[in-house]
Amino acid sequence: MVDTRRLEQLLRDRRPASTAPSQAARVADAQGFRVRAAVRSRAGQSDAVRAAWAALPELDTEPGRTGSTAGAMAAASGNLRQFDESFDLLRAQLLQALRTRGWQSIGITAPVRGCGASFVSLSLARSFARLDNVRTALLDLDLEAGALADSLGTAPDGHISDLIAGDLAPAEYLCRAGRNLALGLTAPFPEGAATLFHNDALTQTLAEITTEYRPDVILCDLPPLLTEDSTLAALPSLDAVLIVADGTRTQARDLSECERLLQDRTQLLGVVLNRGVDTAAARRAHH
Ligand SMILES: Nc1ncnc2c1ncn2[C@@H]1O[C@H](COP(=O)(O)OP(=O)(O)OP(=O)(O)O)[C@@H](O)[C@H]1O
Ligand SMILES: [Mg+2]
């Protein structure tokens, strides 16, 4: 199960209400930038945004496989409602943090592979998508090992590196699940694609998505922090990061090392405890 207590604590401990604009907004404001920054009336703009969402192709999935990972997890955990509720709580905390701080792009990473960063990314995106009035984008930025598409029961042949490099526009690459969740999935790319993060291509891509689709939040599923250099390179493009700790093996020193690596690159939004000990189950097992 996901334990959001530490996140809650971190959010409470941190000073609220920095009104710094999001990375994407800062870049979109800058001159000489490739975003087609059209000046439109507010009404015209929201019509255009609605039309842009409607025009995104719906995700093509194998029937019955959609959401296989999170769905299977929830079923395995035996309590779908409790599962959804814990992610809805995390979502509420995130939304509040995003709104008070003017943030938008959130990276989700972990110390090492297998801790559940993609699982949390997808579950959180599904939770955001349950809100009618919130627009969410979920990008698979694990360029070399992206697995979100597989979890969603689809097999894209495109590489998100084409979107990040600017070779494809968001409208040519993204797809849509439901009305308000945009997905940037990827087929795993051969080694080397991660060098893309070493310039500001990702920042520009996020700004383009923001201009066209006005998402309230962009969730970015990242590779792990301690073992993949590409993660470090992506961080400066993101407003903040969530770290997923695996309750069965992540050590305090791993988290300290992650926090050290985040310094001067982006903000730490909180730590989500995945596979935390279910105390009730542990007690039952003990007796
Ligand atoms: N809370 C959980 N309960 C049961 N299974 C889980 C849980 N969290 C993750 N898993 C499963 O563990 C495996 C690894 O999770 P996931 O792919 O999300 O990790 P990751 O941190 O994204 O790893 P990688 O860096 O390799 O992408 C997946 O099969 C996932 O479905
Ligand atoms: Mg992953």
Side-chain angles (χ1 to χ4, degrees):
M1 237 23 262
V2 175
D3 182 339
T4 57
R5 278 168 302 176
R6 172 133 160 95
L7 175 72
E8 201 176 356
Q9 195 182 347
L10 284 167
L11 291 176
R12 213 173 29 235
D13 287 347
R14 272 153 202 258
R15 267 182 298 137
S18 144
T19 48
S22 69
Q23 290 279 7
R26 275 197 292 277
V27 174
D29 283 346
Q31 286 188 333
F33 173 63
R34 72 183 201 211
V35 164
R36 299 166 290 284
V39 179
R40 301 164 177 149
S41 73
R42 201 170 262 273
Q45 194 176 54
S46 60
D47 282 349
V49 170
R50 253 194 304 275
W53 276 87
L56 284 177
E58 286 246 32
L59 178 67
D60 186 18
T61 61
E62 284 175 42
R65 270 203 67 193
T66 304
S68 54
T69 303
M73 277 330 108
S77 79
N79 190 339
L80 185 59
R81 188 138 147 254
Q82 193 190 1
F83 177 88
D84 282 350
E85 277 173 6
S86 63
F87 275 100
D88 289 353
L89 176 64
L90 178 61
R91 176 196 71 202
Q93 292 168 338
L94 283 183
L95 261 183
Q96 195 187 351
L98 298 181
R99 284 175 178 160
T100 53
R101 294 162 209 216
W103 290 345
Q104 180 199 34
S105 51
I106 305 299
I108 296 152
T109 184
V112 297
R113 290 213 174 266
C115 292
S118 301
F119 170 78
V120 169
S121 301
L122 192 55
S123 303
L124 202 48
R126 290 156 59 97
S127 173
F128 271 106
R130 286 195 282 274
L131 294 178
D132 278 344
N133 58 344
V134 169
R135 289 188 289 250
T136 305
L138 171 64
L139 305 181
D140 191 340
L141 297 186
D142 195 350
L143 303 189
E144 290 165 13
L148 285 183
D150 190 50
S151 298
L152 284 163
T154 186
D157 44 20
H159 294 114
I160 201 167
S161 47
D162 290 338
L163 173 71
I164 297 165
D167 295 338
L168 291 176
E172 294 170 302
Y173 193 80
L174 300 179
C175 62
R176 179 167 53 78
R179 220 176 40 78
N180 55 355
L181 174 62
L183 296 166
L185 305 174
T186 191
F189 197 80
E191 238 173 276
T195 54
L196 263 178
F197 291 146
H198 287 288
N199 55 37
D200 68 349
L202 177 59
T203 312
Q204 295 189 9
T205 301
L206 296 176
E208 282 184 344
I209 292 173
T210 300
T211 302
E212 301 272 328
Y213 298 96
R214 299 276 159 211
D216 297 276
V217 59
I218 305 180
L219 300 172
C220 299
D221 182 17
L222 296 168
L225 255 176
L226 301 185
T227 55
E228 307 290 316
D229 291 344
S230 64
T231 315
L232 292 183
L235 297 180
S237 300
L238 302 172
D239 292 321
V241 156
L242 268 182
I243 296 176
V244 177
D246 182 339
T248 65
R249 63 184 166 133
T250 301
Q251 306 285 317
R253 65 170 179 277
D254 301 328
L255 293 176
S256 310
E257 180 62 5
C258 285
E259 291 193 37
R260 193 184 66 75
L261 290 171
L262 293 183
Q263 260 167 34
D264 302 326
R265 293 190 168 96
T266 190
Q267 302 288 322
L268 174 61
L269 195 43
V271 177
V272 179
L273 178 61
N274 188 30
R275 299 193 182 101
V277 177
D278 178 339
T279 42
R283 245 181 280 125
R284 276 196 304 277
H286 189 251
H287 289 297

